[in-house]
């Protein structure tokens, strides 16, 4: 099975026998639809089970099959698992991209390629270790079934990599066993392919390998999960009773996970559903189904991405003005327009904040970890029902679809907050009731649900001009009374939404403000900054509107760097508008090419603005 | 065979207790007659207003839920979105008796997709379109149900073909499809009562002349033209399940449609054409022929009273208690479920 190319690792000028342990980036280049994802996840999870910090990213095309796709695994003992741009080990399985993939390898790295891809020996680099493997011959040993070969070839490279990187065999075996636990036959053939790969590496690829993984104990009490799955689990335990959706990348996996989990775990004792899920005809319908469901008392949400949010604009105004609770979970992707559906961005901030015409503004929740995706999957409903308004949760593709380590999710101890709802018994005790009257002074009225058996309960909810009694009005003072009260409610919201999280470094002069998935490389970025003499304090926004902590943080610093993943600095705009006195000292760090932001993307511009040459 | 007028119904409620706010529509508007018939239908059916959810979109017709059943909650939503709002509301509280009033713009133009998909899902609702072929609030533009060749008040002729919501509804699997005229209480009230009892989507297209923008000659939906071209398919009657009376069959070919709750809708053929209301294909042909003949055919066209299609409530396999009122214990799985789910991520 050995090919000439495969026999030439010695032609490679790899430097001395140094070996980097628990710090490498592996990129596997395949073709969309080749079934490599589950194999890649097995490698990822096996490393996770060794207690080593690791993260995984799938860079995929907007395509069903045939276009290039890359899966990146970053192993890092310090827990830096966000994206790193350069690659240590490339596994090139896709002839279309192999030559470009080869160029990505850092000097001293490894280029492992399918020898069926005819790469001229002169084209191979001399500063990398090049390993050509005839995968066809190997997979032929694993199975005779043509259909399976395409899938099992992926397990062969996992076997090879596992051996070269010294991934614990037990970790690989247990991961595969768990992955295919209900499929004995699949399990068997995968084991066989894995073993063939491993044996090949033992027999043919011995000698120095520059990277290795080694057991650590960093992952006790941790899980490895995508933000979308975390959100779906949150919705299960947050008592989401209604979900409507229109399929759109990158949010579909949230809906699909919720469906699968709800079907299993949200049944009454008679096997009936304690939830309703409707796949809508479009986003206009998805959001207005949420309006109807919430109006009738369900904890209702829809998940979508930017184009869907745009379509939901008109309805967003109805939620705001008629004061109907509701949740939109926006897994942001690159815009404008259709943009790049499979790339990540934080470009919906401003649009979501003021979604809809007229004087409209919305509460935004900004999860920055998978734990928060879980938490907000529950509490978004509490916030929406407490404030009787639309809540938009802004996740993004990098947080939602990529794999992150998080603390094991904690079972919620707090009951649902259903907000201010008057039932018939409560109404019976009241001499009078008006839907939009601010009886408590917090700008939030009491609502009744349809079906309430009291004469005072019913009213016609409307998005047209209404007074505090929920009656139609075109009277200027009555209109003003309601919309001014909504501002009061907005100020109440500041204390209801999750507060920002502040991390201080003693003596730091510069402040960083970021949110969402930009949080992922932040620790690494701040460590780089600190290592070069720039200490920073960090405020991570978790919601809009801002509370007083945000202004306090800005006021306490001479220089504030607002880091975000969009072209125009949308959050910076909102901060400057909210805190004009501090507008000048807030500076922008932006990244917006569709790929996740990295630590150098953050540290570099800050060094430059701090006048630190590095 | 119609219900004898009584001062109070079986719940002890007077007709007045089914009323609503004062209408702000033009005097003589067909829609006000529809409101009046809706009040009659609810009153005679003895439906508790507390159990009702009134849904609408935007437009003259969509304002009308303010004019009846003020004891029932309502959602006057946004233009064209009555159907999805109703879908969400019914899913949230399966006990609500849903009635939706929409217009021809609201349903046949901006909300056509929502209408089609509501029908596909067989949402239990009495879905009324007050159909006048024009946009009234914006002063008389054609809507999608305006007849081909119909004349606008300004004299312009409609160059586009019309959307027949009834044919469309039948084709999409609607389980109760009828057309009526706002001025025909005798026909519309029984249809409304049957629609309220129907377990599934009951669609009634009610031709309802716009007194201000479409009551001129050539509009095809003026009072005079509707009266002239209206061909009534059947004489209708409705006997509630709770009424202790037998159906008094009149002379002629009378048939009975048994509703799921034990009520009966009676149909006495008035037109020479034979039509089986259980035959959807025939109903579509009938509607097409009538349209081509310039008739405004009214009556019950199609009904699946045998519950051949499941409703959305059934498709969703909903728990008996309305989702809206589930307690924490009912809507949050126990601790060990979280542990089990997380096992997949360890």
């Amino acid at each position: 099975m050995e090919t000439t190319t495969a026999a030439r690792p010695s032609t490679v000028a790899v430097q001395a026998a140094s070996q980097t342990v628990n710090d490498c980036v592996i990129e596997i280049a395949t073709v969309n639809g080749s079934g490599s994802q589950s194999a890649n996840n097995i490698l990822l999870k096996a490393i996770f089970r060794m207690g080593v910090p690791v993260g995984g990213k799938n860079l995929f095309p907007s395509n069903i099959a045939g276009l290039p796709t890359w899966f990146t695994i970053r192993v890092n003992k310090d827990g830096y698992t966000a994206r790193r741009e350069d690659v240590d080990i490339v596994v090139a399985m896709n002839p279309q991209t192999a030559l470009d993939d080869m160029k990505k390898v850092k000097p001293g790295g490894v280029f492992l390629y399918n020898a069926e891809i005819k790469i001229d020996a002169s084209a191979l680099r001399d500063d990398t270790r090049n390993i050509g493997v005839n995968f066809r011959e190997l997979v032929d040993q694993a199975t005779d079934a043509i259909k399976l070969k395409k899938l099992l070839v992926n397990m062969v490279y996992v076997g090879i990599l596992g051996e070269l990187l010294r991934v614990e065999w037990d970790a690989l075996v247990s991961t595969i066993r768990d992955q295919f636990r209900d499929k004995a036959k699949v399990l068997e053939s995968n084991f066989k392919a894995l073993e063939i790969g491993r044996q090949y590496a033992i027999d043919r690829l011995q000698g120095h390998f520059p990277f290795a993984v080694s057991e650590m104990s960093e992952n006790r009490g941790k899980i490895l999960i995508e933000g979308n799955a975390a959100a779906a689990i949150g919705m299960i335990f947050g008592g989401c009773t209604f979900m409507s959706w229109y399929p759109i990348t990158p949010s579909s996996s949230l809906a699909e996970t919720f469906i699968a989990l709800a079907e299993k775990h949200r049944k009454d004792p008679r096997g009936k559903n304690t939830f309703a899920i409707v796949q809508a005809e479009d986003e206009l319908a998805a959001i207005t189904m949420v309006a109807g469901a919430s109006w009738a008392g369900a904890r209702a949400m829809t998940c979508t991405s930017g184009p869907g949010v745009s379509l939901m604009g008109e309805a967003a105004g109805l939620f705001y003005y008629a004061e109907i609770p509701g949740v939109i979970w926006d897994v942001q992707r690159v815009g404008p327009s259709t943009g790049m559906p499979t790339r990540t961005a934080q470009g919906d901030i401003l649009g979501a904040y003021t979604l809809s015409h007229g004087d409209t503004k919305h509460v935004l929740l900004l999860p920055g970890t998978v734990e928060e995706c879980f938490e907000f999957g529950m509490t978004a409903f509490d916030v929406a029902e407490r404030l009787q308004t639309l809540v938009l949760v802004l996740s993004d593709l990098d947080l939602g679809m990529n794999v992150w380590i998080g603390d094991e999710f904690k079972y919620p101890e707090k009951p649902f907050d259903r907000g201010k709802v008057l039932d018939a018994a409560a109404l019976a005790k009241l001499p009078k009731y008006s839907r939009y009257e601010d009886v408590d002074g917090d700008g939030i009225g009491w609502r009744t649900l349809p079906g309430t058996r009291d004469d005072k309960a019913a009213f016609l909810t409307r998005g047209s001009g209404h007074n505090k009694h929920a009656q139609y009005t075109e009277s200027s003072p009555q209109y003003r009374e309601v919309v001014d009260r909504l501002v009061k409610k907005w100020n109440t919201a500041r204390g209801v939404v999750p507060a920002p999280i502040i991390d201080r470094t003693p003596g730091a002069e510069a402040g960083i403000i970021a949110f969402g998935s930009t949080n992922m490389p932040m620790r690494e970025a701040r460590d780089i900054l600190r290592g070069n003499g720039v200490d920073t304090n960090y405020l991570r926004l978790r919601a809009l509107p801002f509370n007083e902590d945000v202004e306090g943080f800005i006021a306490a610093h001479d220089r504030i760097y607002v880091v975000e993943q969009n072209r125009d600095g949308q959050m910076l705009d909102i901060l400057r508008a909210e805190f004009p006195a501090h507008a000048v000292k807030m500076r922008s760090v932006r990244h917006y090419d569709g790929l996740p932001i990295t630590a150098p993307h953050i540290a570099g511009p800050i060094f430059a603005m701090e006048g630190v040459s590095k | 065979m119609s219900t004898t007028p009584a001062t109070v119904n079986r719940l002890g409620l007077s007709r007045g207790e089914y009323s609503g706010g004062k209408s702000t529509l033009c005097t003589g508007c067909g829609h006000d007659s529809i409101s009046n018939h809706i009040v009659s239908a609810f009153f005679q059916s003895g439906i508790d207003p507390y159990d009702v959810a009134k849904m609408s979109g935007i437009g003259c017709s969509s304002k009308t839920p303010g004019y009846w059943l003020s004891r029932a909650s309502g959602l006057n939503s946004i233009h064209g979105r009555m159907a999805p709002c109703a879908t969400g509301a019914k899913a949230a509280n399966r006990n609500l008796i849903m009635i939706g009033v929409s217009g021809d713009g609201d349903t046949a133009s901006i909300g056509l997709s929502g209408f089609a998909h509501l029908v596909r899902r067989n949402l239990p609702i009495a879905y009324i379109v007050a159909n006048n072929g024009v946009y009234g609030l914006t002063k008389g533009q054609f809507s999608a149900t305006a007849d081909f060749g119909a004349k606008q008040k300004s004299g312009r002729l409609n160059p586009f073909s019309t959307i027949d919501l009834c044919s469309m509804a039948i084709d999409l699997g609607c389980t109760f499809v009828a057309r009526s005229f706002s001025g025909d209480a005798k026909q519309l009230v029984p249809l409304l009562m049957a629609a309220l009892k129907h377990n599934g989507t009951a669609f009634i297209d009610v031709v309802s002349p716009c007194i201000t923008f479409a009551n001129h000659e050539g509009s095809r939906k003026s009072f005079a033209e509707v009266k002239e071209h209206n061909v009534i398919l059947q004489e209708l009657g409705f006997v509630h399940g709770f009424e202790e009376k037998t159906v008094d069959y009149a002379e002629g070919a009378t048939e009975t449609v048994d509703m799921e709750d034990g009520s009966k809708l009676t149909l006495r053929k008035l037109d020479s054409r034979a039509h089986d209301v259980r035959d959807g294909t025939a109903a579509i042909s009938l509607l097409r022929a009538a349209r081509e003949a310039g008739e405004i055919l009214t009556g019950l066209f199609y009904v699946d009273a045998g519950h051949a299609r499941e409703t959305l409530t059934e498709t969703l396999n909903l728990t008996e208690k309305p989702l809206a009122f589930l307690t924490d214990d009912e809507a949050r799985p126990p601790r060990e479920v979280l542990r089990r789910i997380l096992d997949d991520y360890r």
Side-chain angles (χ1 to χ4, degrees):
Chain A
M1 86 184 75
E2 184 85 346
T3 68
T4 20
T5 338
R8 298 191 319 108
S10 54
T11 64
V12 172
V14 176
Q15 283 133 24
S18 71
Q19 193 174 44
T20 309
V21 178
N22 291 340
D23 186 10
C24 64
V25 173
I26 306 160
E27 185 165 283
I28 298 152
T30 54
V31 173
N32 203 27
S34 65
S36 58
Q37 179 88 335
S38 67
N40 298 334
N41 277 318
I42 284 166
L43 180 62
L44 177 73
K45 196 174 243 187
I47 297 170
F48 168 76
R49 287 183 174 185
M50 289 172 66
V52 181
V54 65
K57 289 192 198 305
N58 188 17
L59 182 66
F60 60 106
S62 184
N63 157 264
I64 291 170
L67 289 181
T69 180
W70 295 267
F71 191 85
T72 309
I73 296 173
R74 183 174 183 193
V75 180
N76 186 280
K77 57 182 181 304
D78 298 315
Y80 304 151
T81 62
R83 179 171 163 250
R84 203 190 82 191
E85 274 185 303
D86 42 17
V87 179
D88 298 305
I89 301 167
V90 159
V91 179
M93 302 297 285
N94 181 1
Q96 286 172 270
T97 61
L99 289 176
D100 287 334
D101 293 332
M102 181 171 64
K103 290 181 196 146
K104 293 181 196 165
V105 186
K106 267 172 87 174
V110 174
F111 180 61
L112 192 154
Y113 62 101
N114 188 344
E116 282 186 277
I117 305 169
K118 299 292 174 215
I119 300 178
D120 192 76
S122 64
L124 289 168
R125 285 167 56 179
D126 58 8
D127 60 347
T128 55
R129 177 170 173 187
N130 307 312
I131 304 171
V133 177
N134 191 326
F135 281 98
R136 183 191 295 244
E137 285 181 13
L138 292 175
V139 82
D140 281 349
Q141 299 168 29
T143 181
D144 294 327
I146 305 279
K147 265 192 186 163
L148 279 179
K149 286 181 199 275
K150 191 177 107 176
L151 298 171
L152 290 178
V153 72
N154 304 308
M155 286 309 296
V156 175
Y157 70 66
V158 170
I160 295 174
L161 279 177
E163 178 59 28
L164 292 175
L165 286 165
R166 293 194 271 126
V167 176
E168 279 172 25
W169 183 246
D170 287 352
L172 277 169
V173 168
S174 78
T175 307
I176 295 173
R177 190 165 283 143
D178 290 348
Q179 179 120 346
F180 302 114
R181 61 179 166 238
D182 305 322
K183 304 165 191 159
K185 262 193 147 163
V186 182
L187 182 68
E188 198 188 322
S189 54
N190 274 278
F191 272 143
K192 198 169 171 192
L194 183 81
E195 179 59 42
I196 287 167
R198 179 202 192 198
Q199 201 55 50
Y200 175 83
I202 292 172
D203 295 344
R204 316 302 273 260
L205 305 175
Q206 283 308 309
H208 177 69
F209 196 75
F211 303 96
V213 289
S214 168
E215 191 171 299
M216 291 177 75
S217 54
E218 295 300 304
N219 296 338
R220 277 198 202 108
K222 306 268 185 187
I223 53 171
L224 190 64
I225 195 168
E226 312 87 1
N228 282 354
I233 298 170
M235 288 159 62
I236 291 289
F237 292 90
C240 172
T241 44
F242 183 87
M243 187 191 69
S244 52
W245 66 301
Y246 186 76
I248 182 170
T249 304
S251 75
S252 301
S253 66
L254 197 169
E256 300 278 13
T257 309
F258 181 69
I259 292 166
L261 292 173
E263 287 288 346
K264 217 165 156 184
H265 303 296
R266 287 282 298 277
K267 295 276 183 182
D268 73 8
R270 296 168 59 211
K272 299 281 186 180
N273 296 341
T274 62
F275 64 91
I277 298 167
V278 182
Q279 185 185 318
E281 49 273 27
D282 51 37
E283 286 91 346
L284 306 173
I287 188 63
T288 43
M289 283 179 193
V290 170
S294 279
W295 170 77
R299 281 159 83 85
M301 73 100 75
T302 181
C303 57
T304 187
S305 189
V309 173
S310 294
L311 281 174
M312 293 175 186
E314 188 193 10
L318 174 71
F319 281 88
Y320 176 77
Y321 187 39
E323 300 179 65
I324 301 169
V327 177
I328 298 175
W329 195 287
D330 173 13
V331 187
Q332 296 169 93
R333 66 188 215 186
V334 168
S337 190
T338 304
M340 296 194 285
T342 61
R343 298 290 185 268
T344 196
Q346 297 180 313
D348 297 351
I349 308 298
L350 208 46
Y353 189 50
T354 60
L355 188 65
S356 207
H357 53 276
D359 283 322
T360 310
K361 45 189 173 181
H362 303 289
V363 171
L364 307 186
L365 299 188
L366 307 165
T369 61
V370 286
E371 294 93 322
E372 278 175 359
C373 288
F374 170 71
E375 186 189 328
F376 295 173
M378 299 183 286
T379 55
F381 298 105
D382 296 339
V383 174
E385 293 200 306
R386 172 54 47 190
L387 296 170
Q388 299 174 6
T389 197
L390 183 65
V391 169
L392 292 105
V393 186
L394 300 196
S395 175
D396 61 42
L397 185 144
D398 189 30
L399 177 59
M401 289 191 73
N402 289 328
V403 189
W404 303 96
I405 289 177
D407 289 332
E408 189 165 305
F409 302 153
K410 289 186 185 66
Y411 189 76
E413 304 298 340
K414 277 191 194 160
F416 303 148
D417 182 357
R418 304 298 318 261
K420 298 184 187 179
V421 180
L422 293 170
D423 60 13
L427 280 167
K429 291 179 202 144
L430 295 177
K432 64 184 179 68
Y433 162 68
S434 290
R435 166 66 181 95
Y436 298 116
E437 195 163 18
D438 184 15
V439 287
D440 303 319
D442 58 2
I444 306 167
W446 288 77
R447 63 180 188 133
T448 56
L449 301 179
T452 304
R453 312 186 77 76
D454 186 280
D455 261 6
K456 296 184 284 294
F459 61 94
L460 191 61
T461 304
R462 57 178 114 229
S464 46
H466 50 265
N467 61 21
K468 65 181 173 189
H469 309 297
Q471 295 157 334
Y472 181 83
T473 191
E474 292 176 11
S475 143
S476 300
Q478 289 186 12
Y479 165 80
R480 276 284 303 267
E481 186 180 10
V482 171
V483 293
D484 285 342
R485 200 243 321 136
L486 285 172
V487 175
K488 197 165 167 191
K489 178 161 93 171
W490 181 252
N491 288 324
T492 298
R494 297 178 194 278
V496 171
V497 299
I501 291 178
I502 300 175
D503 184 64
R504 294 180 206 278
T505 309
E509 287 175 10
I512 294 176
I513 293 179
F515 57 94
S517 69
T518 303
N519 178 54
M520 292 304 191
M522 193 56 81
R523 193 166 63 80
E524 184 183 0
R526 291 177 66 213
D527 287 350
I528 295 172
L529 287 163
R530 185 179 302 128
N532 291 274
V534 180
D535 284 345
T536 57
N537 293 323
Y538 171 37
L539 179 143
R540 182 160 68 83
L541 295 166
R542 299 199 300 159
L544 267 79
F546 305 126
N547 75 358
E548 60 199 23
D549 299 350
V550 180
E551 185 166 20
F553 182 84
I554 296 169
H557 292 85
D558 294 337
R559 305 177 303 282
I560 292 283
Y561 298 98
V562 181
V563 189
E564 53 192 312
Q565 298 181 66
N566 57 67
R567 185 193 64 186
D568 294 339
Q570 298 180 14
M571 187 62 84
L572 177 66
D573 280 351
I574 296 171
L575 285 162
R576 281 180 171 159
E578 185 89 357
F579 309 115
H582 304 296
V584 182
K585 67 177 171 190
M586 287 190 270
R587 300 165 184 185
S588 189
V589 176
R590 300 178 307 277
H591 173 79
Y592 52 92
D593 64 4
L595 297 174
I597 192 168
T598 65
H601 288 143
I602 299 170
I606 293 179
F607 279 133
M609 285 185 269
E610 287 284 305
V612 175
S613 57
K614 206 205 127 235
Chain B
M1 85 181 90
S2 64
T3 315
T4 346
T7 45
V8 293
N9 64 13
R10 66 175 179 136
L11 298 178
L13 297 175
S14 69
R15 195 177 184 284
E17 288 173 280
Y18 288 85
S19 65
K22 192 176 172 296
S23 170
T24 58
L25 301 176
C26 307
T27 306
C29 177
H31 299 359
D32 282 334
S33 307
I34 298 175
S35 293
N36 195 29
H37 304 323
I38 288 174
V39 169
S40 298
F42 274 109
F43 167 64
Q44 289 178 35
S45 302
I47 292 172
D48 193 329
Y50 293 150
D51 294 333
V52 177
K54 306 179 290 183
M55 312 301 291
S56 67
I58 292 294
C60 293
S61 55
S62 291
K63 290 182 172 198
T64 65
Y67 313 147
W68 40 270
L69 258 67
S70 56
R71 287 182 182 178
S73 297
L75 178 56
N76 176 194
S77 65
I78 50 178
H79 201 21
R81 308 294 154 231
M82 187 268 268
C85 283
T87 304
K90 180 70 179 176
N93 185 346
R94 58 178 295 165
N95 293 345
L96 292 172
I97 296 169
M98 308 293 297
I99 179 167
V101 180
S102 174
D104 37 298
D106 200 57
T107 286
S109 287
I110 191 169
L112 188 62
S113 148
F115 166 71
H117 292 275
L118 175 143
V119 167
R120 282 181 60 228
R121 298 185 183 109
N122 200 20
L123 180 81
I125 186 172
Y127 191 129
I128 320 298
V129 166
N131 181 356
N132 54 21
V134 292
Y135 289 87
L137 283 171
T138 52
K139 304 202 185 301
Q141 299 81 3
F142 284 126
S143 86
T145 64
D147 288 357
F148 171 76
K151 192 196 277 180
Q152 219 174 52
K153 207 174 177 184
S154 65
R156 257 198 5 219
L157 300 182
N158 179 23
F160 303 119
S161 59
T162 183
I163 289 179
D164 184 332
L165 289 169
C166 286
S167 311
M168 204 177 149
I170 296 166
D171 196 41
L172 291 165
C174 191
T175 49
F176 181 113
V177 181
R179 175 170 289 137
S180 189
F181 166 48
S182 59
D184 190 349
K186 227 174 126 198
Q187 184 188 51
L188 184 50
V189 175
L191 281 175
L192 284 166
M193 291 194 290
L196 289 168
K197 288 292 161 68
H198 179 67
N199 187 15
T201 303
F203 175 68
I204 310 177
D205 179 29
V206 187
V207 180
S208 175
C210 174
I211 194 93
T212 306
F213 293 107
N215 204 27
H216 52 276
E217 201 183 329
S219 87
R220 310 274 178 94
K221 285 188 173 62
S222 66
F223 278 104
E225 283 162 303
V226 174
K227 277 182 183 146
E228 188 188 337
H229 298 287
N230 185 3
V231 176
I232 300 173
L233 201 52
Q234 317 103 339
E235 182 183 308
L236 297 168
F238 195 80
V239 182
H240 293 282
F242 56 78
E243 288 175 313
E244 284 182 27
K245 67 177 201 177
T246 49
V247 180
D248 173 22
Y249 290 108
E251 291 289 312
T254 300
E255 64 170 318
T256 305
V257 175
D258 292 313
M259 309 297 293
E260 275 182 57
D261 75 324
S263 308
K264 289 177 195 305
L265 179 67
T266 62
L267 309 106
R268 191 168 68 87
K269 198 157 85 82
L270 290 180
D271 188 62
S272 59
R273 280 166 286 200
H275 175 58
D276 177 2
V277 292
R278 290 166 183 85
D279 184 344
T281 312
I284 290 175
S285 307
L286 182 76
L287 282 164
R288 188 169 184 133
R291 192 164 66 241
E292 281 166 4
E295 293 173 353
I296 299 173
L297 190 64
T298 59
L300 179 69
F301 303 137
Y302 178 73
V303 64
D304 161 25
H307 202 105
R309 281 191 62 203
E310 65 177 19
T311 64
L312 183 63
T313 317
E314 290 158 347
T315 310
L316 293 174
N317 189 30
L318 292 177
T319 187
E320 289 302 312
K321 189 175 176 184
L323 299 179
F325 304 120
L326 294 181
T327 62
D328 290 33
D329 286 347
E330 290 162 329
R332 171 180 281 168
R335 204 172 285 272
E336 65 266 20
V337 171
L338 179 60
R339 217 165 12 237
R340 252 185 298 152
I341 291 173
L342 294 184
D343 278 344
D344 282 345
Y345 299 96
R346 275 186 256 266

